[in-house]
Amino acid sequence: MTNHKSLWVLLFLVAFWISFTVFSNPTKLWATFKLPVSLSHWNLVMKSSCPEVPLNSSVSPRETELRVREILEKLDRQIPPRPFTHLNSTTSAKHSTATILNPRYTYCIGDQLDVFLEARDYLGRRKEYGGDFLRARMFTPALKAGATGKVTDFNNGTYLVSFTLFWEGPVSLSILLIHPSEGVSALWRARNQGYDRIIFTGQFVSGTSQVHTDCAFVLNTSAELCQYLDAQDQEAFYCVKPPNIPCAALTHMHSKNKKVSYLNKKERSLFEKSNIGVEMMTKSPVINVYKCNTEAAVPAKEKCKLSKVSTVPSGHVWKNTWNPASCSLAPIKMKECLRGKFIHLMGDSTIRQWIEYFKSNINTLKSVDLHETGKLQHQLAVDLDGNINIEWQKHGYPLIGSLVYSVKEMENIARKIDRTGGEKNTIIVISVGQHFRPYPIDVFIRRALNIHNALQRLLLRSPDTVVIIKTENIREISSDVERLSDFHGYTQYLALKDIFQDLNVGVIDAWDITMAYGTNDVHPPQHVVGNQINVFLNYIC
């Protein structure tokens, strides 16, 4: 009997200790048992509130920060500071010389044509350093043909521009000076100097009242803030907290440009419209290309398959059709290819163009009303008979747009990936970049690394899932240069290739494709979008 009493007393003491521990410090107890406190994707908390314990991750925050620093240092080495005293000392397209090496009267398909470029300033003096941001392209308008050239910078004011002659006919050459090296240096310094070129306005709704406050990655204010935190990756966005309204009442957002510049008056002269995208090959002869050695057997190229390897150039356009350099695209019946598949399109409006293309080209694909509003609303299209599901979901902050959009369903792409089970008929296509150009590049690098880590987790638990990264499109050459220049896009393009090189993912090089087409439009025409999708279909079918 005494033993039974002792046992009951012991059980009572244990129960009391557990109850006391749970109510006094529940987080510590869950950590002891290695259980997550919360599985929510976005945690809406006050600045003064305690952050929730992040989910277990294969990559520590310290490792991520070290990787961010490593990539930044690589880019810094490629973009050294350049002195700028006067416009006359910067690279002049008019005074620079472009010389075709070993010129011939005729060339054969497959030949390489090299151009030696010597950069000179406005006073005709040879530049002593490189770093000019150039864009090389060859084209034949009558054939609707185009391809990019490969630029090699010798870092002494000279460049080698190499073109592969892909098609027969008269070919014109173009080398554009997008920005001189001094402009590149100024843009790089200015970009990484501040977060406030764009101001976001958040709409809070409480009952019948609406309140609007400023939102951003960084807010220089002493006001109380709402912190919208991704607990897993510790990425945060902030809004000024309206009085007597909870942070969770944030429903909509829109943005506008602020009159903020980190370029001085002298530097801004480099980015006047007349100084951007100036032709350097004004006296270039037309190159005549012929079919030669027609009797020689041309080895057949294999059908394109999922690949992250991208040559320079990665292909060419002929009769408005994209032709990869290292493989061949087979004709694919779109609807048959997509049968039984769930396509997740994640990112910005350039990948939203894909779902719009699918809906306009598959008449049995019907939109599902998800009861959201605005251009940036989540989209879902289904074909029940063909068991086709295609969805587009916008990426998380920053999402720049003058039109009001809902934020209630917003989440970072990494969280969406973590919620995806994945299998061989699950296809994920990701495209991010355009909305990150106005911010210090570490914001983009950190986001790309977090997406990489989420994909790494996905491919470990479901290696059959197909993942494709679509790189950025080029855009308008002289549009809002400090915020949106293609130079910013190019640095992100380089970072993206570095970050995803170790994963089994495919890459659609939209950067090279849109440059070959010469679209200069962030939202290229439908035939360009269709050719990006044709590469995608060859990857998955």
Side-chain angles (χ1 to χ4, degrees), residues 306 420-428 458-459 461-467 504:
L306 203 67
T420 303
E423 42 82 50
K424 66 179 182 180
N425 286 316
T426 298
I427 320 292
I428 293 175
L458 170 65
L459 293 172
R461 67 179 182 267
S462 178
D464 290 336
T465 306
V466 177
V467 178
N504 183 29

Side-chain angles (χ1 to χ4, degrees), residues 27 30-31 34-41 43 50-62 229-235 415 418 457:
T27 302
W30 302 141
K34 293 182 168 48
L35 295 174
V37 174
S38 170
L39 294 176
S40 62
H41 312 304
N43 299 285
C50 297
E52 297 196 19
V53 178
L55 301 173
N56 292 329
S57 173
S58 57
V59 180
S60 70
R62 175 175 170 74
L229 176 70
D230 181 301
Q232 169 86 1
D233 294 324
Q234 296 296 294
E235 291 188 59
R415 300 291 71 74
D418 282 336
R457 294 189 290 269

Side-chain angles (χ1 to χ4, degrees), residues 76-94:
D76 273 331
R77 286 195 295 271
Q78 293 187 58
I79 316 166
R82 297 303 185 196
F84 176 50
T85 54
H86 193 277
L87 186 66
N88 284 343
S89 63
T90 66
T91 307
S92 163
K94 180 180 178 181

Side-chain angles (χ1 to χ4, degrees), residues 4 10 51-52 103 110 218 229 278 353 367 473 487 495:
H4 282 295
L10 181 61
E52 297 196 19
V218 177
L229 176 70
V278 185
Q353 283 188 285
S367 293
N473 300 337
F487 165 70

Side-chain angles (χ1 to χ4, degrees), residues 11 20 33 43 63 76 101 126 134 145 162 218 286 288 308 316 356 376 380 394 397 411 471 477 525 536:
L11 289 171
F20 177 80
F33 289 103
N43 299 285
E63 287 175 307
D76 273 331
L101 298 180
R126 235 285 299 275
L134 308 174
S162 301
V218 177
V286 173
N288 295 301
K308 61 188 174 188
H316 72 279
E356 292 165 351
L376 296 174
L380 175 63
K394 58 183 176 283
Y397 304 113
E411 61 180 334
T471 65
I477 287 181
F536 163 75

